[in-house]
Amino acid sequence: MASVIGKRIGGRTYYYLAESARVDGKPRVVGQRYLGTAEDIAAAMAGGGPEAAGARHRSFGDVSAVWGTLQRLDLVRRVDSVAGPQRARPTLGLHVALAVLHRATAPETEFEQWWTGCLAQDLVRPRPPQAAITTAGHWRALQRLTPERIARVETVVAEAVLDLLGDDGTETLAVDVAQFAAFTAADCTAPSACQDVLAGLGLVVTRDGAIPLASRVYRRENAPVFGALAAELGQRHTLVFHSGQAAQLDLGARTGFVGSLPLADHPELLARPASVRRRVDPERFAGLTAFDTVATVDGARRRVILLHSATLHAAQYRAFTSELSTTVRELDGLAAALAAGTHRGDRTQVHAEMSRIIRGRRVERVLNTTLTGSRAGELRLERRVDAAAVARLAEEFFGKQLLVTDRDWPVAEVVTAYRARTYLDSTFRWLTGSAVTGPSPRWEWSAHRIAVHALVSVLAATVTHVMRREADRAGMNLSVAELLDQLRGIGETVLRHRSTGGRPRTRRILSDRTARQQALFELFGLERFAPG
């Protein structure tokens, strides 16, 4: 039941629309919405409204979706359980949650600047005082994350993820993220700084969604070769590797792996006709076909899967034709210089110039060149592109990838496991790129601060990959960056109305949403964070 009630504040009456219902058999007000003064209501009835004194726009979708996921993982309480009794407010758990929220939604913005005016101020309850959320204070609070607490935080968050996934989280992968870095060598302005630049990150992730559960950070000066890292992480988890790392592993004796092999190692498979390949999963992997067979790898018969992606094929063909055009243009320029007599080199020098233009490129397989003449000034160059050779090259190599595994999973699941590394590389480029902010000056980053930075980055990857998995299951195959970009497009405008003698009033309005943004709005239940 709805009714209008008035409240006397500061000598003026302000009106609210109250919703009443019976609670335990007694009438109670269960909700209310501010309407304004009598003048405001009269103006609204006449088609007007109180004059706005100002407005500001802020991001809504990404902040509320990440915060909602943090709530579902119960991250604040779980971190506080690791920290033990605390007198400080905000607690360590809230500081970690805000650090993750900041890293996932605005890593390029300094923490205190991000917090000021951010939607997070309306989401966190109880709301911490403004003076308690400063960059310096935030990083001081995070210093309470001892190495033991860091390890324990990872454990309790992993437990929350596995509870959320249920049986889908039982299979785990060991993946390395080679380019993970707190900052680059260019940021180092003190001799001691470069010693702590991060070189890489080893992760244990879920097979479904590539959600990080545990991490192993290593620095450049003691970075292990991939084989050593594989021995450390690959004992209890399925190891994921790329073709450049295959040589460091004895795949003939190893168990528990999904990786790729150099295409040139198995020309007999590349020569198989397209008719042997079958579609993998049209809904999840549009345009992807596969030939599932066995081949000899490191002296043992192993399951290998030849993949062909129509999307990758088109991209590689475009890159190849661009490279071919550049090469032809350079050769034509050389031919023109020879014909005009402006290039006076001898035959050996011209051959060297031709080799420089062509060598090391796949274009050498499709270009036929002829150099006539014997003396400087008489040399002439002709070239021809072999269209049949271009077709053969495209058929043999473009769009193809060769996977190897000892797992008996469906092809789609093998592909999903292998692509975990690609998704994680993309995620960490976003979370730890050169624009990411941290404590200043940058060269004062201690080993402990780097460990905290790594924890926040891994937790941000965990939360956003939980979100990406849910979007993928809803039919939206997006990277983390693409997902957050879609959510960021759901904005909120905050209108501040002029005071009429009482407290200033604000009104929050969400922006219009595309069909995909609306689907994400509903998927992540953002209605509960929306203005009433």
Side-chain angles (χ1 to χ4, degrees):
M1 178 179 177
S3 61
V4 176
I5 60 175
K7 295 183 181 181
R8 193 77 175 169
I9 303 174
R12 292 179 62 86
T13 302
Y14 299 89
Y15 294 93
Y16 295 79
L17 180 65
E19 294 286 342
S20 301
R22 287 191 171 274
V23 179
D24 296 329
K26 298 180 180 180
R28 292 285 187 272
V29 174
V30 295
Q32 59 183 13
R33 181 178 178 182
Y34 181 72
L35 298 177
T37 63
E39 293 81 5
D40 294 338
I41 297 172
M45 293 291 290
E51 183 181 357
R56 57 188 172 89
H57 185 79
R58 61 187 185 183
S59 182
F60 173 86
D62 56 340
V63 176
S64 56
V66 172
W67 184 252
T69 307
L70 288 167
Q71 288 182 322
R72 284 190 291 137
L73 294 174
D74 200 12
L75 187 135
V76 173
R77 185 193 64 79
R78 289 176 182 270
V79 174
D80 283 339
S81 71
V82 170
Q86 303 174 72
R87 297 177 59 185
R89 292 292 184 273
T91 66
L92 179 59
L94 182 54
H95 273 290
V96 171
L98 291 178
V100 172
L101 181 62
H102 168 239
R103 181 65 52 79
T105 58
E108 74 288 350
T109 306
E110 187 267 337
F111 179 81
E112 190 173 341
Q113 178 185 349
W114 164 79
W115 171 257
T116 303
C118 178
L119 176 70
Q121 292 193 5
D122 294 330
L123 301 180
V124 177
R125 292 292 182 268
R127 181 175 178 175
Q130 188 69 31
I133 304 295
T134 64
T135 299
H138 176 64
W139 277 95
R140 279 197 304 271
L142 294 180
Q143 291 300 296
R144 307 205 306 262
L145 286 167
T146 62
E148 294 76 18
R149 284 176 172 172
I150 288 174
R152 183 61 184 151
V153 165
E154 276 199 343
T155 299
V156 297
V157 174
E159 291 170 352
V161 171
L162 295 177
D163 288 344
L164 190 67
L165 267 59
D167 293 340
D168 292 333
T170 56
E171 286 281 0
T172 53
L173 311 173
V175 184
D176 80 304
V177 182
Q179 299 305 314
F180 175 75
F183 47 90
T184 65
D187 294 316
C188 302
T189 56
S192 61
C194 293
Q195 297 176 7
D196 282 331
V197 174
L198 298 182
L201 179 71
L203 291 174
V204 174
V205 305
T206 63
R207 191 182 85 181
D208 183 15
I211 304 169
L213 301 175
S215 65
R216 194 306 203 170
V217 180
Y218 52 92
R219 286 181 284 278
R220 193 175 305 280
E221 73 275 12
N222 60 359
V225 296
F226 179 73
L229 188 65
E232 180 179 347
L233 293 180
Q235 295 298 318
R236 295 181 294 108
H237 316 282
T238 298
L239 180 68
V240 178
F241 61 90
H242 62 75
S243 58
Q245 298 167 329
Q248 301 181 50
L249 305 170
D250 182 1
L251 299 179
R254 189 174 189 89
T255 59
F257 60 87
V258 172
S260 62
L261 298 172
L263 289 175
D265 287 0
H266 294 274
E268 76 284 0
L269 294 178
L270 300 183
R272 298 298 294 266
S275 59
V276 303
R277 300 193 298 265
R278 298 290 180 266
R279 291 192 300 176
V280 175
D281 186 334
E283 292 187 3
R284 294 171 62 191
F285 305 110
L288 185 68
T289 57
F291 174 47
D292 194 352
T293 184
V294 294
T296 301
V297 180
D298 290 346
R301 299 292 284 173
R302 290 299 191 188
R303 181 188 181 193
V304 294
I305 303 171
L306 178 66
L307 299 176
H308 179 270
S309 165
T311 302
L312 178 61
H313 185 116
Q316 289 180 334
Y317 188 81
R318 286 193 300 270
F320 174 77
T321 54
S322 175
E323 181 183 41
L324 181 60
S325 296
T326 299
T327 304
V328 166
R329 187 166 57 251
E330 291 185 35
L331 287 175
D332 287 348
L334 177 59
L338 291 172
T342 57
H343 191 297
R344 305 294 297 178
D346 60 22
R347 192 176 180 88
T348 300
Q349 291 172 321
V350 174
H351 263 302
E353 183 71 7
M354 292 167 59
S355 296
R356 180 194 65 78
I357 294 172
I358 300 174
R359 182 183 300 133
R361 299 177 175 178
R362 284 185 172 177
V363 296
E364 62 186 341
R365 293 186 49 171
V366 306
L367 271 173
N368 294 322
T369 58
T370 303
L371 184 64
T372 59
S374 57
R375 292 184 300 178
E378 299 177 352
L379 300 175
R380 297 294 181 269
L381 172 62
E382 295 181 356
R383 57 86 185 159
R384 182 177 66 85
V385 176
D386 188 340
V390 172
R392 287 193 299 271
L393 181 65
E395 174 64 24
E396 184 178 352
F397 284 103
F398 292 172
K400 291 183 177 179
Q401 196 169 38
L402 192 62
L403 302 187
V404 59
T405 183
D406 65 338
R407 297 308 197 198
D408 61 356
W409 302 336
V411 172
E413 297 307 316
V414 175
V415 174
T416 297
Y418 179 74
R419 291 188 177 181
R421 188 178 189 275
T422 302
Y423 280 120
L424 289 163
D425 277 341
S426 172
T427 299
F428 279 99
R429 277 197 300 272
W430 159 249
L431 294 174
T432 63
S434 59
V436 172
T437 62
S440 296
R442 295 292 284 265
W443 56 85
E444 288 187 357
W445 282 40
S446 63
H448 186 214
R449 278 186 168 181
I450 289 176
V452 172
H453 169 88
L455 173 69
V456 171
S457 300
V458 171
L459 292 181
T462 297
V463 171
T464 53
H465 273 248
V466 167
M467 295 166 56
R468 192 191 72 82
R469 172 184 176 272
E470 292 171 342
D472 184 67
R473 290 203 160 194
M476 292 172 279
N477 187 12
L478 303 167
S479 69
V480 164
E482 291 168 338
L483 172 62
L484 292 175
D485 188 58
Q486 286 288 326
L487 288 166
R488 195 175 300 109
I490 306 175
E492 181 185 72
T493 299
V494 182
L495 298 173
R496 181 170 55 85
H497 295 290
R498 297 187 186 280
S499 172
T500 56
R503 56 186 179 184
R505 296 190 296 108
T506 60
R507 183 185 178 196
R508 299 166 53 200
I509 305 172
L510 293 186
S511 62
D512 292 338
R513 299 181 284 279
T514 65
R516 171 161 283 184
Q517 288 170 342
Q518 181 60 32
L520 292 171
F521 186 91
E522 295 171 2
L523 175 66
F524 294 115
L526 303 190
E527 178 65 33
R528 68 187 187 278
F529 302 119

